[in-house]
Amino acid sequence: MSCLGVLFALSDKDLNKLLKTSRLERPDFVCEYLEEIYFEKNRKYIYELDKSWDAMHRCLSNDGLLVFGDDNYPFGSIIMGGYVLYGNGDEEEDYIITLKKAYIVKDIAQKIGTITKEQFKEKYFKIDEKGYEYPLNDEDFEYTWDYFYRSIEFWKNASEANRAVIFTVDQ
């Protein structure tokens, strides 16, 4: 599997459709409906994280990969925090979908720019290397920082449009 993470800033209409979709059908809804619409027509409201989401989440949520919730709020909400829509139940090992409601997005947008590269680097090099699949090094740090730093504009756009955000990743 690819493990490529994506953030989507959803319109109310699309969020409601997602929430009305049965839990086990949500990954298909993301792949067959949301990806088509957002990648083709709403690029402003998606942000591709590649595989940087893993280290990013560990840095922002005090090194817990599968910590669903808001550890280190609002920073821990950026990736896996918020409400789990898929990924923590039986037969849900193939995909993760977490939701950050619009008020959480606003909190993230207000605070995300306060994280300095030095602070992020300090947290990065404290990641437990045993649980992380990649070696901790300057190249991986720069890759992770670059994706994190470039996400700031996405969060501001989502906040200004009063949109909720979902994080998705296939496993």
Side-chain angles (χ1 to χ4, degrees):
M1 297 268 176
S2 60
C3 293
L4 302 176
V6 180
L7 295 167
F8 294 83
L10 300 180
S11 67
D12 288 340
K13 175 183 155 192
D14 291 334
L15 176 60
N16 288 330
K17 284 182 182 180
L18 174 63
L19 295 175
K20 288 178 181 176
T21 301
S22 72
R23 188 174 175 101
L24 293 178
E25 293 176 1
R26 287 177 177 165
D28 289 335
F29 179 83
V30 169
C31 295
E32 295 169 11
Y33 178 74
L34 292 178
E35 285 183 6
E36 185 174 314
I37 290 173
Y38 284 80
F39 277 96
E40 290 180 15
K41 299 175 186 168
N42 289 305
R43 297 283 308 175
K44 178 180 180 179
Y45 294 116
I46 59 167
Y47 185 70
E48 296 177 82
L49 294 162
D50 196 53
K51 294 184 180 187
S52 70
W53 67 270
D54 187 325
M56 193 183 303
H57 179 70
R58 292 170 193 264
C59 290
L60 298 169
S61 67
N62 299 320
D63 197 20
L65 179 59
L66 292 176
V67 176
F68 292 112
D70 297 318
D71 184 34
N72 195 30
Y73 186 85
F75 305 117
S77 298
I78 290 173
I79 303 296
M80 304 258 270
Y83 302 89
V84 181
L85 300 182
Y86 187 91
N88 66 344
D90 293 339
E91 301 178 30
E92 295 182 6
E93 296 87 22
D94 59 332
Y95 210 83
I96 295 171
I97 305 170
T98 59
L99 167 67
K100 302 90 177 69
K101 292 184 178 179
Y103 75 91
I104 295 172
V105 172
K106 288 193 181 302
D107 289 348
I108 291 170
Q110 287 176 350
K111 299 277 186 172
I112 195 168
T114 67
I115 298 175
T116 66
K117 187 173 184 177
E118 293 75 25
Q119 292 168 324
F120 197 84
K121 188 171 190 173
E122 182 180 332
K123 288 192 169 273
Y124 172 85
F125 281 104
K126 288 182 180 177
I127 291 174
D128 180 5
E129 212 168 351
K130 287 180 259 171
Y132 185 56
E133 289 185 30
Y134 306 97
L136 295 175
N137 57 44
D138 286 329
E139 183 180 344
D140 187 56
F141 164 74
E142 291 293 338
Y143 160 83
T144 305
W145 170 255
D146 183 56
Y147 274 94
F148 170 76
Y149 186 76
R150 288 187 297 127
S151 78
I152 293 171
E153 183 178 349
F154 166 84
W155 288 105
K156 288 182 179 177
N157 288 338
S159 175
E160 289 169 3
N162 200 36
R163 289 179 175 234
V165 169
I166 59 169
F167 165 73
T168 66
V169 66
D170 64 338
Q171 303 214 72

